[in-house]
């Protein structure tokens, strides 16, 4: 489980990250990256996961969600506290290993960070 301080909790937060942040896709994931400007929010970096039925049945989706939460916590150690990230799993992620997901997430975050910086 991701600790509460590392979770996006409302649909408004998801929408803000997706609409205002930078986006980058890999073979298995689409990563949306947004840097918060509000100082009221504590904790972070914060993550939100989107794992749709396109990925597979409920067992496959839950397995992938667990893998992604683990990968998020590994990546969180290297990110600033004021970052929000939404990760959308693509169907190819169902067959990916944790190492491949980690590599794709790191690559996606770096590319999305550059695009977010270019937007602002």
């Amino acid at each position: 489980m991701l600790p509460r301080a590392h979770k996006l909790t409302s649909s408004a937060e998801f929408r803000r990250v997706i609409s205002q942040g930078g986006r980058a896709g890999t073979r298995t994931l689409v990563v949306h990256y947004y840097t918060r400007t509000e100082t009221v929010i504590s904790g972070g970096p914060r993550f939100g996961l989107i794992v749709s039925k396109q990925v597979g049945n409920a067992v496959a989706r839950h397995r992938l969600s667990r893998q992604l939460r683990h990968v998020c916590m590994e990546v969180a150690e290297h990110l600033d506290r004021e970052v929000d990230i939404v990760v959308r799993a693509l169907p190819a992620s169902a067959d990916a290993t944790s190492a491949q997901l980690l590599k794709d997430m790191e690559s996606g975050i770096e590319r999305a960070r550059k695009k977010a910086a270019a937007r602002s």
Side-chain angles (χ1 to χ4, degrees):
M1 277 295 264
L2 285 172
R4 183 160 177 78
H6 293 286
K7 287 183 186 178
L8 292 175
T9 56
S10 73
S11 60
E13 292 171 340
F14 275 78
R15 277 195 303 273
R16 183 183 63 233
V17 174
I18 290 170
S19 65
Q20 297 177 10
R23 179 184 71 196
T26 64
R27 189 180 73 78
T28 59
L29 305 169
V30 175
V31 178
H32 300 270
Y33 182 97
Y34 176 75
T35 304
R36 293 188 307 274
T37 54
E38 312 87 41
T39 57
V40 176
I41 300 172
S42 63
R46 299 186 311 168
F47 294 90
L49 302 177
I50 302 172
V51 183
S52 74
K53 287 185 178 182
Q54 292 177 341
V55 171
N57 63 16
V59 173
R61 292 193 310 270
H62 288 292
R63 180 180 150 275
L64 179 60
S65 294
R66 285 191 302 272
Q67 282 181 303
L68 288 174
R69 284 193 298 267
H70 179 73
V71 168
C72 287
M73 290 313 296
E74 286 185 42
V75 170
E77 298 169 3
H78 310 290
L79 295 173
D80 295 332
R81 291 181 53 131
E82 54 277 339
V83 171
D84 288 345
I85 295 174
V86 171
V87 178
R88 183 166 53 91
L90 298 174
S93 62
D95 300 324
T97 64
S98 292
Q100 180 64 41
L101 291 172
L102 177 62
K103 179 181 165 197
D104 284 354
M105 186 173 295
E106 288 172 341
S107 165
I109 287 172
E110 188 57 37
R111 290 179 27 233
R113 179 187 321 199
K114 289 177 185 174
K115 289 182 181 180
R119 285 183 95 175
S120 49

